[in-house]
Amino acid sequence: KTNVPQIMFSWECSNPVYGTTSHPLHRHFIPGGSSGGESCLINQRGSVIGIGTDIGGSCRIPAHMAGCVGIKATKNRLSVKGKARPTLYGDGQENIASCAGILGSTVDDVAAFFEGVLSPKVIEVGIADDPY
């Protein structure tokens, strides 16, 4: 896990433990969003792919600001097994539907990730038991 805002739903990437994340190319700017630390890591080639959650741009905005690629997958397209349970309203309706968000250095990296994770061969062999 890289630096994330305290409530994980913010346009900046700052918390009391690690402080504010700086943009990888411009130290006086921020990389934006709750995945700002991840976008900086990918921009500096510390990682090829980053997986997070995206509701209103938490992966896409930092990716754009740091010069990498971000995409919000369709709800339930990628497994979010192990993720915290959603916030429910009243008798069980989800307040905020979060989806998996993927960050990558290039469009080709993100496409290769999706091909590898969603390939029928991978699912058939049992490497990925249930993509949903």
Side-chain angles (χ1 to χ4, degrees):
K1 197 77 173 159
T2 55
N3 197 15
V4 296
Q6 198 166 10
I7 59 170
M8 295 184 69
F9 192 70
S10 175
W11 297 112
E12 62 182 27
C13 196
S14 178
N15 67 53
V17 177
Y18 295 107
T20 302
T21 300
S22 297
H23 189 282
L25 303 175
H26 308 285
R27 306 291 282 158
H28 298 293
F29 294 100
I30 59 170
S34 63
S35 296
E38 187 73 24
S39 68
C40 289
L41 184 66
I42 290 170
N43 176 280
Q44 296 297 301
R45 306 295 189 252
S47 179
V48 178
I49 290 288
I51 303 171
T53 54
D54 197 319
I55 297 169
S58 296
C59 287
R60 294 166 288 157
I61 292 169
H64 168 76
M65 293 177 76
C68 47
V69 178
I71 186 169
K72 177 182 177 182
T74 304
K75 184 166 174 56
N76 295 327
R77 182 70 175 145
L78 296 172
S79 175
V80 288
K81 195 173 188 177
K83 180 184 128 340
R85 294 187 353 211
T87 305
L88 301 178
Y89 174 77
D91 59 355
Q93 181 178 350
E94 240 180 279
N95 273 347
I96 301 171
S98 70
C99 304
I102 311 301
L103 292 95
S105 298
T106 65
V107 172
D108 290 338
D109 292 339
V110 174
F113 170 82
F114 275 110
E115 286 174 15
V117 171
L118 299 175
S119 166
K121 282 178 135 179
V122 172
I123 295 166
E124 185 180 301
V125 176
I127 295 172
D129 293 332
D130 183 7
Y132 306 96

